Amino acid sequence: MSLYDLPVETASGDITSLGAYDDKLLLVVNVASRCGLTPQYGDLQQLQEKYRDQGLQVVGFPCNQFNGQEPGTNDEIQAFCVATYGVDFPVFGKIEVNGENRHPVYQELTQTTDSQGEAGDVAWNFEKYLVAPGGTVVARVRPQESPAADEFVALVEANLPVRVS
């Protein structure tokens, strides 16, 4: 079963998959509303807006495993994301990214190594995974690196499926 076939729950409780994005450069991020890194939502939204037409799709997975920094309900999380950061990318239902109840999407993603060659557990909120069209994970970027950082933007641009001349 590929990453695109795994069931994910929408914020409204419906079951879907990431299959609609199999031709996109997927930026998968575990997110939280009460974290020092929460302003990255704004940077993620800017990336979504800038590169949407070139095939980028950001998706967020709220997680409350890091110091309880995502305590809200799915409805509260959605309202926060839209009102505070104007988020229009999908923010799915809350999941666990580490441990015994790790969501299957993250069972796959956490096998990927970061720039230091380390795989395994998600370190904190806003860890980022870039998944190329077809499902190959091309990068794992730790939480502290901003989605607005030149290096990260260059990584996104290098992997976009549609080139604009």
Side-chain angles (χ1 to χ4, degrees):
M1 190 176 272
S2 84
L3 186 68
Y4 300 110
D5 298 323
L6 298 170
V8 296
E9 186 176 336
T10 66
S12 61
D14 296 325
I15 301 299
T16 187
S17 74
L18 299 175
Y21 311 122
D22 68 349
D23 62 341
K24 306 283 186 198
L25 175 62
L26 201 56
L27 174 51
V28 182
V29 187
N30 63 300
V31 294
S33 302
R34 296 185 183 171
C35 175
L37 300 175
T38 299
Q40 287 190 21
Y41 263 126
D43 298 331
L44 293 168
Q45 180 60 33
Q46 287 180 349
L47 283 175
Q48 179 67 55
E49 291 170 8
K50 183 173 182 178
Y51 297 110
R52 174 180 291 139
D53 292 341
Q54 291 173 265
L56 177 67
Q57 180 61 61
V58 178
V59 296
F61 285 95
C63 177
N64 195 38
Q65 289 186 286
F66 303 102
N67 284 354
Q69 294 181 344
E70 188 53 274
T73 65
N74 287 337
D75 287 342
E76 290 168 339
I77 294 164
Q78 295 300 310
F80 170 82
C81 290
V82 172
T84 310
Y85 295 102
V87 167
D88 69 1
F89 58 81
V91 178
F92 291 99
K94 198 181 321 186
I95 63 167
E96 291 187 14
V97 298
N98 290 333
E100 186 176 309
N101 296 316
R102 183 188 328 247
H103 190 278
V105 166
Y106 276 83
Q107 288 175 9
E108 293 295 317
L109 293 175
T110 55
Q111 295 177 39
T112 304
T113 58
D114 62 13
S115 62
Q116 305 301 312
E118 295 182 24
D121 283 352
V122 171
W124 199 256
N125 301 309
F126 292 91
E127 191 148 321
K128 295 161 273 302
Y129 296 86
L130 277 175
V131 183
T136 301
V137 182
V138 294
R140 178 180 187 166
V141 179
R142 296 298 182 169
Q144 298 77 13
E145 185 169 339
S146 168
D150 291 343
E151 300 82 16
F152 189 80
V153 172
L155 186 60
V156 167
E157 289 176 345
N159 287 284
L160 289 168
V162 177
R163 302 283 182 227
V164 175
S165 47

